[in-house]
Amino acid sequence: MVYKRLERILIQLDAVDSTNNYAAHLLKSTKVSSGTVIFAKDQQHGRGQRSNVWTSQAGKNLTCSLIFFPSIQIKDAFYLNLATSLAVRKTLSDLGVAAQIKWPNDILVKGNKICGILIENQINGRSVNSSIIGIGLNVNQLEFGAQVRATSLKKELGREIEVDVVFDQLYGYLDFYLNLLLESNWKLLKKHYYEHLYQKGILAKYEDVDGVFEGIIEGIDDTGRLQLRKNGVLKSYDLKELIYC
Ligand code: BTN
């Protein structure tokens, strides 16, 4: 399989509403290379999953969106979550922070969220034409709302880290894991993902449509759903069907 590595084109913005919005606008209005990244020092209306907002103190964190042309079918789009989460996890690990991936793509350190990922795909027929991979990684922020279980690299390491240094590392790993995706190396992506999956193999509390129960995460199925053993039966869940308690 012939593949093209990411072309590292960086667009640095002082302020923007959302880097994902900016990337979407770029995709519509001009020709963009796979690998283009939009950064913002101050992202003022960051968007999170399920229509949540993503807040980030100006100048403290990495808020960026990568434009990527994956050439995959819609049914395989969940591998973008795997590749991106693995790239973030490995970046943190190299910096001395052990993180886990909470399915599908939250990155946690000791149960606290350090990074959120918002992937938005542009579809053509049965294929994903282009993807906007939005990454919000807490780097030097120390204060988070009282309600929020969040952390940052600085909180974990006790020292300031340059956001650019973190990005350089992350970009290299994005290149690596997204190439596994371009090669359709699903087996390896799933293997690595499972190795770092939060709460895998342990009995923990979850809630589904029938109420709270104790179950064991065993992996993900071929459609990207989470597989949980509940009362001895293996069940697969979509994002909206399961709550971690
Ligand atoms: C989540 O809810 O966990 C996903 C958060 C994703 C935030 C990032 S920050 C850069 C990019 N631009 C956005 O508006 N959102 C993503």
Side-chain angles (χ1 to χ4, degrees), residues 55 57 112 138 141-151 155:
T55 50
Q57 283 173 6
N112 297 318
N138 299 330
Q141 185 167 332
L142 288 177
E143 302 296 332
F144 298 92
Q147 262 49 288
V148 192
R149 285 196 66 189
T151 190
K155 274 189 99 163

Side-chain angles (χ1 to χ4, degrees), residues 17-21 38 43 45-50 52-54 56 62-65 105-106 113 115-118 120 133-137:
D17 59 344
S18 149
T19 55
N20 269 35
N21 291 353
I38 296 99
Q43 177 173 254
H45 297 283
R47 294 189 289 109
Q49 293 157 19
R50 294 179 222 107
N52 285 330
V53 292
W54 181 263
S56 176
L62 179 62
T63 47
C64 67
S65 301
N105 60 14
D106 281 348
K113 186 156 164 174
C115 178
I117 296 165
L118 177 67
E120 298 178 302
I133 301 178
I135 300 172
L137 175 58

